[in-house]
Amino acid sequence: MTGLTHLDEDGAARMVDVGAKATTAREAVASGRIDMSPEAATAIAQGLVKKGDVLAVARVAGIMAAKRTADLIPLCHPIALSAVALDFALDDKGVTVTATARTAGQTGVEMEALTAASVALLTIYDMAKALDKAMVIGNVRLEAKTGGKSGDWRRTP
């Protein structure tokens, strides 16, 4: 089973040993989108959703999720995050979420950024589902990463 980093020589799942890797500053940016009815988007924008401030709750949920990524993704390393930020772009058809995670460590923060974006999107759905059960979550993806042995990477349009 050569070449597969998360499998040992017998094919069993394993957590990669990052102990010998250099500690470097690392950052990852992920994004995703939730499409919804214009009525639901307006209610979110105007703060009229009965459950409360949708984007404030989604921001906290995304931050909390990033901090728990290793509990959710079996082979992820628990890492000390130095920052997690979520930004929202609201338009008349939905919300685009952008999550940024940072650390100084031996492994990257791509999964933390992706988890933050995903859970923020799920939280928006939960908060607004009474207004629009047909909302669609999609396009969750890594936008960029910096640091580490593999260097910098940015999605090209």
Side-chain angles (χ1 to χ4, degrees):
M1 291 272 155
T2 61
L4 300 176
T5 60
H6 286 73
L7 297 178
D8 68 14
E9 57 278 350
D10 297 322
R14 70 178 178 103
M15 184 181 230
V16 174
D17 183 354
V18 297
K21 291 175 77 177
T23 297
T24 62
R26 297 162 185 266
E27 178 180 281
V29 178
S31 68
R33 171 112 179 134
I34 183 165
D35 291 316
M36 62 187 66
S37 68
E39 296 80 16
T42 298
I44 290 171
Q46 295 179 357
L48 301 175
V49 177
K50 290 183 180 182
K51 285 188 172 185
D53 186 336
V54 173
L55 300 183
V57 174
R59 178 173 281 111
V60 173
I63 292 167
M64 291 174 64
K67 293 174 7 178
R68 301 298 300 266
T69 300
D71 293 334
L72 299 169
I73 310 297
L75 301 177
C76 279
H77 292 83
I79 61 174
L81 293 167
S82 57
V84 178
L86 283 100
D87 294 306
F88 302 98
L90 181 63
D91 59 47
D92 63 347
K93 295 179 183 175
V95 181
T96 299
V97 174
T98 303
T100 303
R102 290 186 193 97
T103 191
Q106 296 169 298
T107 190
V109 290
E110 296 92 339
M111 294 308 298
E112 287 73 11
L114 287 161
T115 300
S118 298
V119 171
L121 290 163
L122 288 167
T123 301
I124 293 168
Y125 185 95
D126 180 56
M127 296 284 292
K129 66 186 174 203
L131 301 170
D132 183 2
K133 290 180 179 32
M135 290 180 283
V136 176
I137 294 170
N139 294 324
V140 176
R141 60 194 185 185
L142 184 66
E143 297 291 346
K145 61 107 29 227
T146 60
K149 182 179 177 182
S150 65
D152 298 350
W153 177 88
R154 182 165 303 279
R155 175 175 292 288
T156 54

